Amino acid sequence: MRPELPRIPQATTKRLPLYYRFLQSFHNAGHKRVSSQELSEAMKIDSATIRRDFSHFGALGKKGYGYDVQTLLEFFRKTLDQDEAAHVALIGVGSLGTAFLKYNFQKNHNTKIVVAFDTKAPVEGIIKSDIPVFHPSVMEAKLAEYGIELVICTVPSRSAQEVADRLAKTGIKGILNFTPVRLAVPETIRVHTIDLSVEVQTLIYLIRNEHTEE
């Protein structure tokens, strides 16, 4: 059961899985304790940012000692619900969707794509990368059957809102949206949009303007 947490900044929330992953690396390498500076060097994140992030959760370390790796790993494991399996559905098995099926969160053992949907798949389903892929006409029934709470959406932009409207009538709680469309959904559903073209354009801008203010 995940411990009740205070409200923390979204930027900190996004870094929590990274902390867990790097702490696993330290643990696997036999480290008993780690300092914020060591985490900083490994993660390429400012040590002050790490200490500030950790401060949201109370006293996780000791001054002059650092952080106990096992204790910290256990804390973040519970915080991130690593003991509870997260079954994910994929909607849209084009180029990006196929890549998701092949990857299928190999480094995150509690998160797995267990079912997918694509307009080219038959109603009775086919197996692709060991995952059953069904026609969207049976989507609502299959989402309920597989107990899905999180959906990855990689459909064409023109279909995104229609898919979201259908999902809004199911029991899902989150959509990871890889379309550029800003989806309109009920407040009960959280949407995280990753627009790859915007990310690339942002990176290009930062590269080209890195030294303009010196």
Side-chain angles (χ1 to χ4, degrees), residues 12 25 51 74 83 103 116 128 131 142 172 189 194 203 207:
T12 297
S25 296
R51 290 192 296 271
E74 179 73 9
D83 290 332
Y103 166 62
K128 191 169 184 178
I131 304 299
K142 292 299 179 181
I172 72 149
I189 299 176
I194 300 177
L203 182 57
I207 291 171

Side-chain angles (χ1 to χ4, degrees), residues 124-167:
E124 65 272 17
I126 58 173
I127 301 297
K128 191 169 184 178
S129 297
D130 297 324
I131 304 299
V133 183
F134 298 96
H135 191 272
S137 61
V138 296
M139 183 174 69
E140 287 84 352
K142 292 299 179 181
L143 290 176
E145 178 183 334
Y146 283 86
I148 302 298
E149 291 186 333
L150 174 64
V151 167
I152 298 175
C153 183
T154 59
V155 300
S157 298
R158 64 181 180 275
S159 305
Q161 187 58 55
E162 179 185 350
V163 169
D165 291 342
R166 291 179 62 184
L167 292 174

Side-chain angles (χ1 to χ4, degrees), residues 23-206:
L23 285 166
Q24 282 182 310
S25 296
F26 277 104
H27 181 266
N28 292 339
H31 291 263
K32 300 298 183 182
R33 63 179 180 176
V34 63
S35 68
S36 57
Q37 185 60 42
E38 288 173 316
L39 275 173
S40 173
E41 292 172 358
M43 299 178 64
K44 310 304 179 188
I45 296 176
D46 183 71
S47 60
T49 298
I50 294 174
R51 290 192 296 271
R52 184 168 61 250
D53 284 349
F54 286 7
S55 71
H56 292 292
F57 304 100
L60 296 179
K62 298 178 181 179
K63 189 174 182 180
Y65 177 86
Y67 304 95
D68 182 87
V69 171
Q70 182 63 46
T71 300
L72 210 54
L73 193 61
E74 179 73 9
F75 173 81
F76 281 112
R77 182 177 61 81
K78 292 180 179 178
T79 300
L80 294 168
D81 275 348
Q82 290 297 301
D83 290 332
E84 297 185 21
H87 290 170
V88 179
L90 173 70
I91 304 178
V93 189
S95 298
L96 181 57
T98 298
F100 269 116
L101 285 185
K102 291 180 178 179
Y103 166 62
N104 204 1
F105 304 97
Q106 294 174 13
K107 292 185 177 181
N108 193 342
H109 300 297
N110 78 320
T111 303
K112 295 292 182 185
I113 296 172
V114 296
V115 64
F117 303 94
D118 191 80
T119 54
K120 295 181 180 179
V123 173
E124 65 272 17
I126 58 173
I127 301 297
K128 191 169 184 178
S129 297
D130 297 324
I131 304 299
V133 183
F134 298 96
H135 191 272
S137 61
V138 296
M139 183 174 69
E140 287 84 352
K142 292 299 179 181
L143 290 176
E145 178 183 334
Y146 283 86
I148 302 298
E149 291 186 333
L150 174 64
V151 167
I152 298 175
C153 183
T154 59
V155 300
S157 298
R158 64 181 180 275
S159 305
Q161 187 58 55
E162 179 185 350
V163 169
D165 291 342
R166 291 179 62 184
L167 292 174
K169 299 175 183 178
T170 70
I172 72 149
K173 296 180 180 178
I175 301 174
L176 185 58
N177 174 34
F178 279 88
T179 80
V181 178
R182 292 302 181 260
L183 301 177
V185 297
E187 292 182 357
T188 52
I189 299 176
R190 184 178 292 274
V191 178
H192 186 174
T193 297
I194 300 177
D195 189 332
L196 296 179
S197 62
V198 169
E199 297 296 333
V200 171
Q201 290 169 354
T202 301
L203 182 57
I204 290 172
Y205 173 83
L206 292 172

